[in-house]
Amino acid sequence: MKRLISMVCLVLLAAGATAQTKVVDKSAKKMPAWANTAVPDYLIVSVTAPTLAEAQKKSVQEITERIIQSVATSVSVSQTDVMSEVTTDGGVESTDAYKRVSKMKSANLPFLKGISPTKIEEIYWQKVQDKSTKKEHYEYWVKYPYSAVEQRRLQKEFEQLDKEKTEEYEALRDKIGNLESVEEIKSSINRLASLKEFFFDDVRVSQVDGLIEQYKQLYSTMAIHGTPAGKGKYECQMMLNGRPVKVGVVPKVTSNCAFQIVVRQSDGKFIITYDDTDCLPEEENYLDVLFRIDGKRVESKFSINANSTDGKFLVVPEGKVVLAAKSVSAADRKIKDISIRLTLNNRGGQPFGLKSLELQVPELSVPIVFDDINSVYTTKGVIQVNVVAEGEFTARQKKSSALSFVQGAVMIVNPQTQAVERVRLSLPYVTNWE
């Protein structure tokens, strides 16, 4: 008797719940027989929404989700508070408030491209009003063709695609220790990011994230290996995790002493040629090699072992030129008898003759020329040349920073050939006048 009373109460409660709403409009006089039933070779989808347009949109989303789940049964889902109901061949699945949201993005699944609202064969909807609150919503049913044969075909396509994606991941995993160029780092990271968008299970997503980090760490293992290849030549090779690799960009090469630097690529290496005439054996000489790769700097310095100049004829002007006038007239800027001290570096140590000297001082209106000096020097290294320009000179206004160098040349007698060689000079200078 108690059981009978309970059943009666449940019926009364259900009737009371139904009495709280009423249908105020519908698309047909009678609900079609296929609604809320299982129909072979069809998906029967039911959704609720505040508007008819929203209901149409949700129905297509539900169809898409249902097909995804039927094809890839391991798709993980999350829940949100949205009413939803799906009718399948296996019966009706319903909850009070949930919506399946696939982690797989439809844009990455080719078989979902064919899903379209134009394929919906039948639609039925009804507008329902809450009697107490007067709020209204739509209950919306659609009948979408989806046969078992179509499902098996899509499953086969998906399994093949999933297999290809898995194999691509495995190839990138196995390739990381055997890259042929640094450009493969970035391209591999981009491919892995695409795979991450495809993989829907947490295990493979985690594996992809880990592999991406391993590829990123390769940037920190980049280094430049350089070896001398003869006088005025260096060979450089990019190394990745200790292995030689190719690189598509040409490095920027500078030096603290070498000039006329040329870089060319050859079989994955970079051949650097330069003139080391100004590189002194007793000084620290180097080439600075800089690569910019994917926004990162890879830089190394390589020592230049300047060849000894012993026994060779090499005289180089260096240091500052010191000019000191015997007298200076501030009124008319007249200068008399200028003593000049010039430094020459006899790097080769060979005796040489200084025949003449030409200097163009920015502050003086005329050049200073010394003919027939005819001095002979036998000392190796730094030599001080002292000469006096006798006479009166007119000084211009105080020099500017742009005109802070004495230009000119020294005429040197080469002891090996007895020929007179012109050695140009461009040196900073100081004076004793303002």
Side-chain angles (χ1 to χ4, degrees):
M1 184 66 181
K2 290 182 179 180
R3 183 178 179 184
L4 178 61
I5 293 173
S6 297
M7 292 178 65
V8 171
C9 289
L10 288 173
V11 171
L12 291 175
L13 286 171
T18 304
Q20 296 300 316
T21 60
K22 66 177 181 178
V23 177
V24 296
D25 195 8
K26 52 188 176 181
S27 60
K29 291 183 179 181
K30 185 178 180 181
M31 179 181 287
W34 54 264
N36 293 328
T37 61
V39 180
D41 296 332
Y42 286 92
L43 288 177
I44 308 301
V45 176
S46 174
V47 298
T48 61
T51 67
L52 194 58
E54 185 66 20
Q56 293 171 339
K57 181 179 178 181
K58 287 184 177 180
S59 67
V60 176
Q61 292 174 342
E62 289 291 344
I63 291 170
T64 302
E65 292 293 333
R66 193 62 185 180
I67 291 177
I68 290 176
Q69 289 193 4
S70 71
V71 173
T73 56
S74 59
V75 172
S76 56
V77 298
S78 61
Q79 296 181 350
T80 55
D81 294 334
V82 180
M83 293 295 294
S84 174
E85 181 176 280
V86 178
T87 304
T88 68
D89 293 346
V92 178
E93 297 179 358
S94 62
T95 62
D96 291 335
Y98 85 94
K99 177 186 178 182
R100 287 179 298 273
V101 180
S102 171
K103 288 184 179 179
M104 185 184 303
K105 296 184 179 179
S106 61
N108 298 311
L109 296 177
F111 65 78
L112 296 180
K113 302 295 185 181
I115 299 176
S116 170
T118 60
K119 291 184 177 180
I120 295 175
E121 288 193 2
E122 294 186 60
I123 296 172
Y124 173 75
W125 57 264
Q126 56 187 27
K127 189 176 183 180
V128 180
Q129 183 184 79
D130 187 295
K131 291 181 179 180
S132 59
T133 64
K134 303 303 181 182
K135 290 184 177 180
E136 297 176 342
H137 66 270
Y138 286 87
E139 296 176 352
Y140 195 85
W141 290 263
V142 298
K143 182 181 180 183
Y144 191 88
Y146 185 58
S147 66
V149 174
E150 178 70 4
Q151 179 181 349
R152 286 193 295 271
R153 183 183 69 81
L154 295 180
Q155 283 179 331
K156 186 176 180 181
E157 289 181 6
F158 174 75
E159 288 171 359
Q160 179 61 33
L161 180 62
D162 190 76
K163 180 183 177 183
E164 292 173 359
K165 297 295 185 181
T166 300
E167 289 175 349
E168 183 179 359
Y169 163 77
E170 291 173 349
L172 291 170
R173 180 196 61 197
D174 297 339
K175 182 72 172 177
I176 191 170
N178 194 32
L179 299 182
E180 296 179 358
S181 70
V182 294
E183 284 76 19
E184 289 183 77
I185 300 177
K186 185 175 182 180
S187 65
S188 297
I189 291 174
N190 291 338
R191 289 172 63 189
L192 286 167
S194 178
L195 288 175
K196 182 178 178 180
E197 291 297 310
F198 173 82
F199 290 145
F200 49 85
D201 55 292
D202 293 337
V203 173
R204 287 188 294 181
V205 168
S206 177
Q207 290 175 337
V208 169
D209 283 337
L211 191 55
I212 288 175
E213 286 305 312
Q214 291 182 49
Y215 268 98
K216 288 181 178 179
Q217 289 171 8
L218 286 178
Y219 285 116
S220 63
T221 71
M222 291 189 299
I224 309 168
H225 176 71
T227 55
K231 179 174 173 56
K233 181 184 288 188
Y234 237 94
E235 285 188 1
C236 287
Q237 173 80 62
M238 177 61 70
M239 308 294 287
L240 186 65
N241 210 14
R243 295 181 59 257
V245 291
K246 296 179 180 179
V247 58
V249 296
V250 177
K252 178 181 179 182
V253 182
T254 57
S255 174
N256 66 327
C257 63
F259 59 97
Q260 293 183 350
I261 299 172
V262 178
V263 183
R264 63 181 178 86
Q265 196 168 12
S266 175
D267 194 27
K269 297 181 179 180
F270 292 91
I271 311 301
I272 305 170
T273 57
Y274 53 90
D275 189 326
D276 62 356
T277 300
D278 290 341
C279 299
L280 303 179
E282 64 272 16
E283 295 183 357
E284 181 182 358
N285 309 300
Y286 61 83
L287 293 174
D288 187 284
V289 182
L290 169 64
F291 284 91
R292 295 184 184 273
I293 301 172
D294 297 336
K296 298 172 178 59
R297 291 170 57 99
V298 186
E299 187 173 12
S300 289
K301 286 187 177 181
F302 301 104
S303 296
I304 299 175
N305 295 321
N307 294 326
S308 174
T309 56
D310 287 345
K312 297 180 180 179
F313 176 63
L314 182 61
V315 179
V316 180
E318 62 181 32
K320 287 184 178 181
V321 179
V322 179
L323 299 100
K326 184 176 181 180
S327 64
V328 179
S329 173
D332 54 7
R333 298 189 62 81
K334 295 297 183 179
I335 301 172
K336 291 183 179 180
D337 299 339
I338 303 174
S339 296
I340 301 170
R341 188 178 71 199
L342 173 68
T343 301
L344 298 179
N345 191 340
N346 183 11
R347 296 182 182 179
Q350 288 287 317
F352 70 94
L354 175 59
K355 184 174 181 59
S356 61
L357 173 64
E358 301 173 6
L359 300 176
Q360 179 65 62
V361 182
E363 295 170 64
L364 301 180
S365 57
V366 296
I368 299 175
V369 179
F370 297 92
D371 289 322
D372 302 321
I373 298 177
N374 297 326
S375 296
V376 177
Y377 299 91
T378 59
T379 305
K380 180 182 178 181
V382 175
I383 297 169
Q384 298 290 341
V385 177
N386 295 284
V387 291
V388 177
E390 298 179 345
E392 186 176 78
F393 301 86
T394 301
R396 296 171 178 166
Q397 294 299 316
K398 186 177 180 180
K399 65 181 179 181
S400 65
S401 59
L403 299 173
S404 57
F405 286 82
V406 168
Q407 306 290 335
V410 289
M411 307 303 288
I412 304 293
V413 179
N414 187 331
Q416 298 173 354
T417 64
Q418 297 302 310
V420 178
E421 297 184 6
R422 179 183 176 88
V423 179
R424 295 184 59 83
L425 67 82
S426 178
L427 299 173
Y429 72 100
V430 293
T431 70
N432 68 339
W433 65 82
E434 293 295 333

